[in-house]
Amino acid sequence: MNATHNLTRASLQTLDTPAAIIDVPRMQHNIARMQSRMDALGVRFRPHVKTSKCVEVAHAQIAAGATGVTVSTLKEAARFFDDGVTDILYAVGMVASKLPAALALRRRGCDLKIITDSVASAQAIVAFGAEYGETFDVWIEIDTDGHRSGIRPEEDALLDVARVLHDGGARLGGVMTHAGSSYDFDTPEALAAIAEQERAGCVLAATRLRDAGLPCAVVSVGSTPTALAAKHLEGVTEVRAGVYVFFDLVMHNVGVCATDELALSVLTTVIGHQAEKGWAIVDAGWMAMSRDRGTQKQKRDFGYGQICRVDGSLVPGYVLSGANQEHGILSREGEPDPDIVARFPIGTLLRILPNHACATGAQFPEYHAIDPERGLATWPRLHGW
Amino acid sequence: MNATHNLTRASLQTLDTPAAIIDVPRMQHNIARMQSRMDALGVRFRPHVKTSKCVEVAHAQIAAGATGVTVSTLKEAARFFDDGVTDILYAVGMVASKLPAALALRRRGCDLKIITDSVASAQAIVAFGAEYGETFDVWIEIDTDGHRSGIRPEEDALLDVARVLHDGGARLGGVMTHAGSSYDFDTPEALAAIAEQERAGCVLAATRLRDAGLPCAVVSVGSTPTALAAKHLEGVTEVRAGVYVFFDLVMHNVGVCATDELALSVLTTVIGHQAEKGWAIVDAGWMAMSRDRGTQKQKRDFGYGQICRVDGSLVPGYVLSGANQEHGILSREGEPDPDIVARFPIGTLLRILPNHACATGAQFPEYHAIDPERGLATWPRLHGW
């Protein structure tokens, strides 16, 4: 353990701060944990790569058994396809203006799936497909928790959209849902209940399609909390989840991970103090951490992040309590620390666990992946659209 | 006006969404407004380019009369120096680990100024300077509002730090402060008061240095609200401000700009609806808008942004009320709009004014600058550290 810690410290001291650090053993643990759970539940697993936007991370997920990936932008789809991933679900509702980019990917051999939740978009897809002689593989987005997009499983519109697609020459590939409201719960019972609601709603939608004589091969559900809380996944064919690969403080508050499973942190340097206030000033502000304050309304508010030593071990009770663009304010929760200057002298390297890994990762052009066996590697991260 | 609007609409329809749009005439108006105010107040102006991180924007600021730039990272300093700007202030406290990068810039001919607010950092600077035979130009950071970093003008530490620098062979260039708490006010009287507090505190620090026989050529103050609210700037030699170049909803709530002065917006496409809830779903989520919710605690909460038509005109009462990574929820403030589907059909292009221009701009690799006279141009934006 000490040898590992010394290696970590030595490697990280070579980096400019702020920097995004991936703890590779923790990431591999998280990947193995999720994949083994999916294997036990008898479903395929399609990780959402919007969390990492990093091919090295996706490789690790696929090596562990993942079947294809989920993306949040067509730029991600192109990047991961260039990297050899062919089975890709673009999980944001398709609109006419994005069909040329989707067509281009399919023409290059990408097995891209697209989604819709409206007759208007379904019509645009089939009209475009007819014009260009392309059979798009389209899944219908189902709303199982009122969280965002999708058609409710019992709505008439489900069959309307399905028939537009099926009759219009698209391949009606299946149904998909995302119970994003699972982030709002923090007990095993509530998480199991929302997981079951997500499963049952999506399976109901599939059943309605099949009962109407329509095809529905895929039943795709998921979010990190529901994937980890589901008691069974009867009728489901695949699960999607993203943030589990790194986890974060929001997920810790939800109750699906321990703090020592958090694989993403921000390396920072102490650059000053306001001793009377008990503040250390660090060079990770909101530009590094992101403006995400997802723990603010949860059972424990970590400010802009939890402070750790450079070896990754927690400094309990110390958080990033404030942030400007390139300045973070590190302080003790509750009473100010009168010994803040001695505890964290200028130049001290620290690591900060983020509220929301997807948002924090997005602030960085690359990750620094640290693996005790292989040392430090730079993994680029996709940016923009 | 109609010709301009038609040109805007036609140009923006060629872009993929989401996209960051700069309204060039509004930006030029904001630049001229600030520069003419600084000229009238008799001070030099050093814009903080952390807002745009874009050389085309900095060019416009310098063309209008700005003297040098302020940066928030050494990567910005290197980029703007490569672009021909030599007078650069790095306005984040220097630490030993960043001195080699600062030295490299100075050795290449960059007139880089650095700052400190502690004896420990000042010692590190002079020791490094002595080792490498470099006379660093160092300003002392003054705390005039308890907001973040700096030495209070009346503290003994001010003279301690100054003597370490001066006696150690650094060039003691001056003092600088940033009254960031000006963002917390929203009346002309309160803004004028904090501007005067910022000015008087920084001038006091300069006076104390000079009274002690130490040099202090530069007295640098500023934030967008205080720069626009100051009644006079006696004793000040230069002002810094950043966000004024684009303005944003936070600044609108502070009271220093009208909504039709906001020069940065996010172009988005309507991709779906939840009609019963009065929601339109757009493809600008928090990845595009950033997680900044800066208007949440101000007099008017705009959610994740104010909705505009594609020509930039406001749609009063409609905001981005919620955001996931690549999904935004557009709704009417107050009662749900029963006509949301007809009002914003799928495929509709809209623009969203952001809470915080610095945070929203950071989400994009480039801006699309629209100028009625020159059409559409792509302006790259710096990302990372």
Side-chain angles (χ1 to χ4, degrees):
Chain A
M1 199 63 172
N2 276 342
T4 298
H5 283 191
N6 289 341
L7 176 65
T8 301
R9 194 175 297 114
S11 300
L12 296 184
Q13 271 162 353
T14 65
L15 298 176
D16 291 333
T17 57
I21 309 299
I22 295 176
D23 181 318
V24 175
R26 288 186 182 186
M27 180 190 86
Q28 292 288 11
H29 159 85
N30 297 340
I31 290 171
R33 177 184 167 201
M34 181 64 83
Q35 188 64 51
S36 66
R37 195 173 151 74
M38 295 299 107
D39 293 347
L41 286 165
V43 291
R44 292 192 299 275
F45 182 58
R46 182 188 293 279
H48 205 320
V49 294
K50 77 181 179 73
T51 298
S52 72
K53 297 204 184 194
C54 173
V55 296
E56 287 83 354
V57 175
H59 283 170
Q61 292 167 306
I62 289 166
T67 311
V69 299
T70 313
V71 297
S72 68
T73 67
L74 288 171
K75 187 170 180 177
E76 286 167 53
R79 181 71 191 85
F80 288 95
F81 176 66
D82 288 344
D83 193 58
V85 182
T86 54
D87 180 358
I88 299 179
L89 169 67
Y90 171 49
V92 177
M94 179 52 61
V95 281
S97 56
K98 295 182 183 178
L99 282 164
L103 176 67
L105 275 165
R106 288 186 62 89
R107 288 278 158 90
R108 290 173 56 207
C110 178
D111 182 16
L112 181 75
K113 286 91 169 170
I114 59 177
I115 69 169
T116 183
D117 67 354
S118 72
V119 167
S121 282
Q123 287 170 335
I125 293 165
V126 297
F128 185 87
E131 185 177 352
Y132 289 91
E134 182 67 31
T135 304
F136 283 103
D137 190 338
V138 191
W139 299 5
I140 299 177
E141 185 172 14
I142 307 299
D143 176 12
T144 51
D145 68 345
H147 171 62
R148 186 168 73 196
S149 299
I151 303 170
R152 290 192 306 278
E154 66 282 4
E155 275 187 277
D156 293 342
L158 173 63
L159 295 179
D160 298 340
V161 171
R163 287 196 180 104
V164 168
L165 294 169
H166 189 64
D167 299 348
R171 179 176 184 278
L172 182 53
V175 288
M176 60 83 74
T177 193
H178 166 62
S181 66
S182 61
Y183 282 42
D184 299 336
F185 302 104
D186 59 10
T187 66
E189 300 72 27
L191 292 171
I194 185 71
E196 173 57 16
Q197 179 180 320
E198 181 186 58
R199 181 204 70 80
C202 206
V203 170
L204 171 59
T207 303
R208 286 190 65 215
L209 292 178
R210 293 168 188 151
D211 287 351
L214 292 158
C216 184
V218 174
V219 181
S220 175
V221 305
S223 72
T224 287
T226 54
L228 293 171
K231 301 285 189 197
H232 72 89
L233 287 172
E234 199 179 318
V236 168
T237 66
E238 71 163 40
V239 168
R240 309 179 322 279
V243 76
Y244 80 96
V245 72
F246 294 149
F247 284 125
D248 54 29
L249 294 169
V250 165
M251 285 296 113
H252 176 62
N253 270 335
V254 167
V256 295
C257 61
T259 52
D260 66 4
E261 294 178 300
L262 272 55
L264 179 69
S265 61
V266 173
L267 185 73
T268 188
T269 303
V270 175
I271 62 169
H273 301 94
Q274 293 289 6
E276 332 77 72
K277 294 176 181 167
W279 292 357
I281 309 293
V282 299
D283 68 355
W286 59 251
M287 186 63 82
M289 301 308 300
S290 91
R291 270 293 196 192
D292 200 294
R293 288 283 289 103
T295 60
Q296 189 173 21
K297 59 181 198 306
Q298 292 189 305
K299 60 187 172 190
R300 182 162 174 195
D301 183 353
F302 288 93
Y304 283 92
Q306 165 67 48
I307 306 301
C308 298
R309 297 176 192 90
V310 70
D311 65 10
S313 63
L314 238 60
V315 188
Y318 289 80
V319 299
L320 203 65
S321 54
N324 296 137
Q325 187 159 336
E326 297 291 348
H327 297 80
I329 296 175
L330 183 173
S331 65
R332 188 164 70 183
E333 296 171 291
E335 286 292 292
D337 178 358
D339 300 322
I340 196 82
V341 177
R343 191 180 309 279
F344 302 113
I346 287 177
T348 304
L349 274 183
L350 298 168
R351 284 159 74 181
I352 311 175
L353 300 176
N355 286 321
H356 188 174
C358 310
T360 300
Q363 304 300 101
F364 292 87
E366 73 276 312
Y367 302 103
H368 300 279
I370 183 146
D371 185 334
E373 288 173 18
R374 293 177 203 180
L376 202 60
T378 302
W379 293 355
R381 189 186 191 287
L382 195 65
H383 183 227
W385 289 266
Chain B
M1 199 64 172
N2 275 340
T4 300
H5 284 189
N6 288 338
L7 175 64
T8 303
R9 193 175 296 114
S11 299
L12 296 184
Q13 271 162 352
T14 65
L15 298 176
D16 291 334
T17 58
I21 309 299
I22 295 176
D23 181 316
V24 176
R26 288 187 182 187
M27 179 190 86
Q28 292 289 12
H29 160 84
N30 297 340
I31 290 171
R33 177 184 167 199
M34 181 64 84
Q35 188 64 49
S36 66
R37 197 176 148 73
M38 295 300 104
D39 293 345
L41 287 165
V43 292
R44 292 192 299 275
F45 182 58
R46 181 188 294 280
H48 206 319
V49 295
K50 77 182 178 71
T51 298
S52 72
K53 298 205 184 193
C54 172
V55 295
E56 288 81 356
V57 175
H59 281 170
Q61 292 168 306
I62 290 166
T67 309
V69 300
T70 313
V71 298
S72 68
T73 67
L74 288 172
K75 186 169 179 179
E76 286 167 54
R79 180 72 190 84
F80 287 96
F81 176 66
D82 287 344
D83 194 57
V85 183
T86 53
D87 180 359
I88 300 179
L89 169 67
Y90 171 49
V92 177
M94 180 51 61
V95 283
S97 56
K98 295 182 184 180
L99 282 165
L103 176 67
L105 275 165
R106 288 186 63 89
R107 288 278 158 90
R108 289 174 56 209
C110 178
D111 182 16
L112 181 75
K113 287 92 170 169
I114 58 177
I115 69 170
T116 183
D117 68 353
S118 71
V119 166
S121 282
Q123 286 170 335
I125 293 165
V126 298
F128 186 88
E131 184 176 354
Y132 289 92
E134 181 68 30
T135 304
F136 283 103
D137 190 339
V138 191
W139 300 3
I140 300 179
E141 184 173 15
I142 307 300
D143 177 12
T144 50
D145 68 344
H147 173 62
R148 185 169 73 197
S149 299
I151 302 171
R152 289 193 306 277
E154 66 283 3
E155 275 188 276
D156 292 342
L158 173 63
L159 295 178
D160 298 341
V161 171
R163 289 199 179 99
V164 168
L165 294 169
H166 188 64
D167 299 348
R171 178 176 186 278
L172 182 54
V175 288
M176 60 82 74
T177 192
H178 165 63
S181 66
S182 62
Y183 282 43
D184 298 337
F185 302 103
D186 60 9
T187 66
E189 299 73 28
L191 292 170
I194 184 73
E196 174 55 18
Q197 180 180 320
E198 182 185 57
R199 182 203 70 80
C202 206
V203 170
L204 171 59
T207 303
R208 287 190 65 216
L209 292 179
R210 292 169 189 151
D211 287 351
L214 292 158
C216 184
V218 173
V219 180
S220 175
V221 306
S223 72
T224 287
T226 54
L228 293 171
K231 301 283 189 197
H232 72 88
L233 288 171
E234 200 178 317
V236 168
T237 66
E238 70 163 42
V239 169
R240 308 177 325 277
V243 76
Y244 80 95
V245 73
F246 294 151
F247 284 124
D248 53 29
L249 294 169
V250 164
M251 285 297 112
H252 176 61
N253 270 336
V254 167
V256 294
C257 61
T259 52
D260 66 4
E261 294 179 298
L262 271 57
L264 179 69
S265 61
V266 173
L267 186 72
T268 188
T269 303
V270 175
I271 63 170
H273 300 94
Q274 293 287 7
E276 333 76 73
K277 294 176 180 166
W279 292 357
I281 309 293
V282 299
D283 68 355
W286 59 252
M287 185 63 81
M289 301 307 302
S290 91
R291 270 293 196 191
D292 199 295
R293 286 283 288 104
T295 61
Q296 188 172 21
K297 60 182 196 307
Q298 293 188 305
K299 60 187 173 190
R300 182 161 175 196
D301 183 352
F302 288 94
Y304 283 91
Q306 165 68 48
I307 306 301
C308 298
R309 297 175 193 92
V310 71
D311 66 12
S313 63
L314 240 62
V315 188
Y318 289 80
V319 299
L320 203 66
S321 54
N324 297 136
Q325 187 159 338
E326 297 290 347
H327 296 80
I329 296 174
L330 184 173
S331 65
R332 188 163 70 183
E333 296 172 290
E335 286 293 290
D337 178 358
D339 300 321
I340 196 80
V341 178
R343 192 179 309 278
F344 301 114
I346 287 177
T348 304
L349 274 183
L350 297 168
R351 284 159 75 182
I352 310 176
L353 300 176
N355 286 322
H356 189 173
C358 310
T360 300
Q363 304 299 102
F364 292 87
E366 74 276 311
Y367 303 102
H368 300 280
I370 183 147
D371 185 333
E373 287 171 19
R374 295 177 202 180
L376 202 59
T378 303
W379 292 355
R381 191 187 189 288
L382 196 65
H383 183 225
W385 290 266

